[in-house]
Structures are given as structure tokens and as C-alpha cells.
Amino acid sequence: MERAGEPQPRRRDTRLDTYVDRYAARTHGMTASAIRALFSVANRPEVVSLAGGMPNIADLPLDVVGQTLHELVAGQGMRAMQYGSGQGEPMIREAICEVMRLEGISAHPDDVTVTVGSQQALDLVTRIFCDPGDVVLCEAPSYVGALGVFRSFQCEVAHVAMDDQGLDPVALAEAVHALRAAGRTVKFLYTIPNFQNPAGVSQSLERRTEILRVAAEADLLVVEDNPYGLLGFEGEPTPAMRSLDEDRVVYLGSFSKTFAPGFRVGWVLAPHAVREKLVLAQESATLCPPVFSQYAIAAYLDTHDWRGQIKVFREMYRERRDAMLAGLADHMPAGMSWTVPSGGFFVWATLPPGLDSHAMLARAVTARVAYVPGTAFFADGFGSRFMRLSYCFPTPERIIEGTRRLGEVLTHEAGVLATFGTAGAAGPGRAPLPPYEAPGANQT
């Protein structure tokens, strides 16, 4: 019996996290990236990792970079290691405008906001535009890091089908109409038009024009994420969507793929009024982006042949892409198909009917090969029949070996399926998944 005035024992939850009831509601949607969860095994030397999109900086002239950093510290160290502007330093914003000119973008440095990689750029854009419950339109599939950002701000993602030229403008128009008819607020379209992550396909110039026409008719903002645009293997870069519509497109860029990711320098190019909000959001998040990194990249761009270095990267990634395609052609079982990227880092593979990339991942890791299951790139549970294969980091010889190991796993899984039937069919209470098309599939 309880007695008045006597202290009562504290309630003790059995949950491991004693702070669970104190977190903000927006944390409930936070989940670990499927790619990060793979790192602990994919980085083992015996495992061929076709999973992560880590740039290969082996061909970066580290002696040149080291000399540039030495001269920077000796000559401008007092400024380069101080606090800076929330918008970013003027010299790097001017250099960024020069880089964007290669894709047809004419911009003023005042409209550029420097960020901690393009990942933070996407975070800031979402922060200033989206309220909980707002809808963001994304390609199907879409970048896993973007889906995490949208989830963290309590947005709903509506996927739009793709084909071999990227986002389908007819499907986009239908999605906007249906969502608004249902009373939903659609804030923007998020798209990766060049060598899309994860699908590897690119929007043609005609397709970009058509998407922007749909966006104009629907009064829809477009967020163009373009980390791979200068890493094409064929011809000159396709004009950026931003170059075709300055008022409707917010452009995200990064030096992580064309220089080195460790400096963590990205940017947003936005209309002037949007820029003001971005700077305020940047100041509240970080006070200012890393000044030393900005000085370092600006010095490198100013004193060295960065265009020539990008060509070196393009040829190196082309060789790895060719190895991936050759390995897939030699080792994949019947019924497998995949995209043929003309740039970037990724191949998107479609498995034979009945196979589940998520379910067979453990078997693949046991066979010492890793990939990312397609489910990581959808917000709605779709994607079990797909996988993303990355060719950017392993050597061509390792890529060939990785595809051999993966082919053995797939052949075994197909044999099990033929013997025991499909285990992943929809059962009672399991809703059918949306009929997204496989983008750019090239059947073996």
C-alpha cells in the first residue's frame, strides 16, 4: 500500500533509449542509410564493394595539392583559418560561376551560397521551403541521401516514373495534378538530370525542356542536383536545367566528384530572394561554411589545370564503367538487365523475376561482394527487384571479379527460386507495390 508522503520508485522503461519520449516528432522518420550500414563489411579488403559511391582520387596530383596548401597557409593562413561569411567567400563564389559556365549557366557570384557539400545544400533548400506534410516529387528511384533529408523534415515523397531519358514529363504532370486534386501541397521537384544516382541515366536536352514546360504550367519549383554533370564520357556537357530557366530552377553543385570530397564544398545557385533565406539558414546551421576549404579549392582552381584534371577523371571512370559492363555481360544470368551510363558512377540493374536484392544481400556479402539493394532508393518500399552497382572506386580487375562473384550469387538464387518458388509474393494484408518502370534497362 502506498503511504502519503513516502517517495515513490521511479518508472523504469525497458526501452534501451531512455530519451525516446523527449525527441522531436521529426526524428521519428530518421533511419540509418542503407549504404552506411554496409560500410562495416563492404570496406573489408576481401570484399569487392560495388556499393558505395566514393570518388576515386588516386589520379588527383597530391603533390600539386600539397604544394597549393603549403603556399596557402604560408601566404594567407591568417585569413584562410578565420571565420568567414555565411554566404561563402567571394573568390570561391566567383570560381564556382566559372565552373558552371561549362554547362551553359550564366550566374552572378552574389546568387551563389557555399555549403558543406551539396548534401547540406539540399538540407537548407528543404528547410526553407518545406513544412511537415508537404510533398516533394522525386524520380523513381532517387538518391538515398535526398530521401533521408526529406524524411527528416517530415515531408512525403511522391515518386515519378523514369525511362531511358530520365524523368517522364507525362508522369510528372499527372502526379502534380493528382496530388493537388487531393488537396496536397507540392513544394518542388527534386531531380538529378545527369547520370542519375542511382539509375545512371540522363535527361536529353529535349526532355529537360519538356520537364521545365510542365513545371512552368504547374507553377512548380525545380531543384536540380548536379554532382556528376562534368563527368560525361561522350561529348560536351548537356546544358543544365538552370541554364534554360533561371527563375524556376534552384541548382545544387559540388566539388566532391570533380576535385575531392574531403574538403566538403558545395553550393546552391538560387534566385536572389531565395539566396537571402539560404544565407540565414546557413548562418543558423554552421555560422559559416569551412573557410579553409574554400580558400584551398579556390587556390587550386586559380593556379592549376582543373579542366585537364576533370578529363583525367572522366577517362579513369570510363575505363571502370567499361569493366563493369563487360563483367555484367560475361557473368550475369539470363533475365538480368541493366542501364548503360554515359557518365557518372552507377549502373542500375534489374533482377530476374522473383529475386529480391535485399533478401540476398547477406549471401552476397558472404560471397565477398557488396551492392546496394534497390529498396534504399525508394520512399515507399518499392525496389526489391533492383540493385545499384558502383564502378567508381574499385580497379577494373576488381570490378570484373566482383561481377563474377555477384553472378554466382544470382545464379544460385535463381536456382533456389526455380526449385522452391517465389517467396516474396504479395500475401494477405500486403498491398501491391506501384508499377514503376525500370529506367533504361538493356536486356542481356
Side-chain angles (χ1 to χ4, degrees):
M1 175 183 292
E2 295 181 4
R3 296 183 180 180
E6 289 187 358
Q8 301 302 314
R10 291 182 61 190
R11 176 185 173 207
R12 294 183 180 275
D13 282 331
T14 57
R15 290 171 293 184
L16 294 177
D17 187 350
T18 59
Y19 296 93
V20 67
D21 293 324
R22 306 187 187 197
Y23 294 132
R26 62 181 171 272
T27 66
H28 295 169
M30 292 181 176
T31 57
S33 163
I35 299 173
R36 179 164 63 88
L38 276 171
F39 277 175
S40 60
V41 293
N43 287 340
R44 296 174 185 170
E46 70 273 18
V47 175
V48 178
S49 177
L50 307 178
M54 188 164 60
N56 191 326
I57 59 174
D59 287 344
L60 189 68
L62 296 183
D63 56 339
V64 170
V65 175
Q67 183 61 31
T68 300
L69 296 180
H70 172 78
E71 294 172 359
L72 172 61
V73 173
Q76 302 184 73
M78 294 295 289
R79 294 173 61 190
M81 292 187 285
Q82 235 335 326
Y83 284 120
S85 162
Q87 185 178 356
E89 300 307 297
M91 77 290 185
I92 190 65
R93 289 189 278 114
E94 292 172 3
I96 286 169
C97 290
E98 186 66 25
V99 171
M100 291 190 294
R101 214 169 267 121
L102 296 180
E103 294 181 290
I105 297 175
S106 177
H108 194 282
D110 286 351
D111 291 327
V112 174
T113 301
V114 179
T115 57
V116 185
S118 61
Q119 184 70 20
Q120 194 209 20
L122 183 58
D123 185 281
L124 296 180
V125 169
T126 308
R127 181 179 306 194
I128 67 172
F129 278 110
C130 292
D131 293 312
D134 286 345
V135 178
V136 176
L137 296 169
C138 294
E139 292 144 337
S142 190
Y143 167 50
V144 61
L147 299 180
V149 169
F150 304 144
R151 188 182 301 117
S152 73
F153 284 100
Q154 299 172 279
C155 299
E156 179 179 328
V157 170
H159 285 295
V160 181
M162 301 172 67
D163 59 21
D164 59 357
Q165 293 189 58
L167 188 73
D168 182 347
V170 174
L172 173 62
E174 291 173 349
V176 175
H177 176 76
L179 287 163
R180 288 178 175 168
R184 306 304 302 276
T185 300
V186 181
K187 280 298 174 70
F188 57 78
L189 164 67
Y190 170 76
T191 181
I192 307 172
N194 292 307
F195 323 121
Q196 199 248 13
N197 179 3
V201 301
S202 295
Q203 296 171 14
S204 65
L205 180 58
E206 294 75 17
R207 177 60 60 87
R208 297 175 195 217
T209 302
E210 184 65 13
I211 291 170
L212 289 172
R213 183 191 64 78
V214 171
E217 291 179 353
D219 193 22
L220 180 67
L221 182 69
V222 176
V223 177
E224 177 184 17
D225 195 357
N226 189 34
Y228 311 102
L230 297 182
L231 295 177
F233 307 145
E234 302 169 4
E236 296 300 315
T238 303
M241 299 178 80
R242 167 72 189 201
S243 72
L244 306 174
D245 191 334
E246 295 183 357
D247 297 324
R248 191 168 302 281
V249 179
V250 174
Y251 178 97
L252 312 183
S254 173
F255 288 108
S256 293
K257 311 302 189 295
T258 55
F259 181 51
F263 288 96
R264 305 305 301 130
V265 174
W267 69 89
V268 186
L269 173 64
H272 194 76
V274 176
R275 191 283 316 271
E276 289 297 318
K277 291 290 192 296
L278 287 169
V279 173
L280 293 174
Q282 172 71 281
E283 290 174 343
S284 69
T286 65
L287 190 61
C288 65
V291 175
F292 187 82
S293 293
Q294 296 176 65
Y295 270 82
I297 293 181
Y300 173 82
L301 296 174
D302 183 55
T303 58
H304 300 288
D305 181 16
W306 58 271
R307 293 176 182 83
Q309 183 59 46
I310 289 175
K311 291 180 180 179
V312 171
F313 285 145
R314 289 170 60 183
E315 291 306 311
M316 179 263 293
Y317 290 130
R318 183 207 298 270
E319 181 184 19
R320 283 160 167 75
R321 187 277 312 264
D322 291 346
M324 174 69 78
L325 296 179
L328 293 174
D330 289 343
H331 301 302
M332 293 302 105
M336 186 89 166
S337 61
W338 52 86
T339 57
V340 178
S342 57
F345 288 2
F346 307 110
V347 166
W348 184 245
T350 303
L351 306 186
L355 295 190
D356 185 323
S357 64
H358 188 272
M360 73 179 202
L361 180 59
R363 181 180 294 277
V365 171
T366 300
R368 298 172 297 141
V369 62
Y371 59 84
V372 184
T375 49
F377 305 98
F378 293 86
D380 54 11
F382 194 72
S384 61
R385 198 184 159 191
F386 305 102
M387 62 172 61
R388 190 191 75 176
L389 302 174
S390 172
Y391 53 79
C392 54
F393 192 76
T395 64
E397 294 75 21
R398 292 278 285 174
I399 291 170
I400 294 292
E401 174 60 17
T403 58
R404 186 193 67 78
R405 296 176 188 179
L406 181 60
E408 290 182 350
V409 172
L410 285 163
T411 299
H412 174 83
E413 291 290 311
V416 171
L417 178 67
T419 302
F420 297 103
T422 303
R430 184 172 179 181
L433 294 171
Y436 299 127
E437 297 295 331
N442 290 270
Q443 187 71 34
T444 58

